[in-house]
Amino acid sequence: MKNIHRIAALSVVPVAAALIALPAQAAEGPACPVPTKAEVKQSNDSKVDKPARGATAIKGVRVNHIPKGFTYGGVVTSKHNGITEYGYQWGDDRPNADVKQRSLWVRVVCWPKASKLAQLKNGPFNMGTFSGDTRTEKIGGRQVLTQEGDGALGDGRYAGWVERKGVVVTVMASTPLVPELSKIIEGIKL
């Protein structure tokens, strides 16, 4: 009987330690979402999804508000300078020169040094840098850095924020989608 009590007592210690550690893990949040090998290959091969994926297009990220009208999409990944960029681009079949052309790009950047919004101005991103005339404003309940879209990103509005230390989220919405940018940003959950 004493052995049973001793075994029971010993088995409670690891469980108690794990339960104590849970609040600390929850406060940190889950690790930064990274693409699978298959998604890296899809991105490298420039494969297109027809129809476009939905709210869970980026593993570990939920985009709860995706405007209607997209006909295709694709995973976009990049790994360089100690960071991983992982996102999804939605688009329609209109040419880029068409003012009604609709595109949306949501990206997560795993950048261990990221902790403050101001750092995005000098972020080591391959594409979608905050190099223009930036502003800090509140959109979709988040404090974000914004700038007007430029030639590389297309026309529209570009926004980004530090979700938590080491995790940056950026969104590029084409001009017709700018009125929905607040709903898009508010609906992004990691």
Side-chain angles (χ1 to χ4, degrees), residues 3 33 41 43 45 63 72 74 76 79 161 166 175 177 190:
N3 285 339
K41 183 173 178 5
S43 175
D45 294 345
V63 183
Y72 67 91
V76 181
K79 192 170 187 172
W161 64 93
T175 302
L177 303 179
L190 272 69

Side-chain angles (χ1 to χ4, degrees), residues 6-45:
R6 191 174 315 151
I7 291 171
L10 289 174
S11 65
V12 169
V13 173
V15 172
L19 289 174
I20 291 168
L22 279 177
Q25 291 170 350
E28 292 174 17
C32 192
V34 292
T36 64
K37 288 180 183 179
E39 287 173 317
V40 171
K41 183 173 178 5
Q42 180 182 2
S43 175
N44 292 340
D45 294 345

Side-chain angles (χ1 to χ4, degrees), residues 4 11 28 41 60 64 69 77 83 93 95 103 106 109 115 124 138 142 147 152 155 158 161-162 180 186 189:
I4 292 174
S11 65
E28 292 174 17
K41 183 173 178 5
N64 288 312
T77 68
I83 70 168
D93 291 327
S103 64
V106 176
V109 182
S115 62
K138 196 162 190 161
R142 291 185 162 99
Q147 76 177 31
D155 292 330
Y158 184 48
W161 64 93
V162 178
E180 296 184 64
E186 185 178 14
K189 308 291 182 209

Side-chain angles (χ1 to χ4, degrees), residues 20-115:
I20 291 168
L22 279 177
Q25 291 170 350
E28 292 174 17
C32 192
V34 292
T36 64
K37 288 180 183 179
E39 287 173 317
V40 171
K41 183 173 178 5
Q42 180 182 2
S43 175
N44 292 340
D45 294 345
S46 298
K47 290 190 177 172
V48 174
D49 297 323
K50 280 194 170 196
R53 294 183 192 175
T56 58
I58 308 164
K59 186 178 178 178
V61 179
R62 185 161 189 85
V63 183
N64 288 312
H65 182 76
I66 301 172
K68 302 233 183 284
F70 296 118
T71 55
Y72 67 91
V75 175
V76 181
T77 68
S78 177
K79 192 170 187 172
H80 57 91
N81 302 327
I83 70 168
T84 301
E85 299 181 51
Y86 175 34
Y88 196 83
Q89 290 180 313
W90 290 266
D92 67 14
D93 291 327
R94 292 182 181 96
N96 287 344
D98 188 334
V99 294
K100 294 182 181 178
Q101 193 260 351
R102 299 162 59 85
S103 64
L104 174 65
W105 177 33
V106 176
R107 169 181 66 171
V108 176
V109 182
C110 300
W111 177 23
K113 293 180 181 177
S115 62

Side-chain angles (χ1 to χ4, degrees), residues 150-170:
D150 59 17
L153 296 176
D155 292 330
R157 196 90 181 269
Y158 184 48
W161 64 93
V162 178
E163 179 72 17
R164 57 180 171 268
K165 181 155 178 36
V167 182
V168 173
V169 179
T170 66

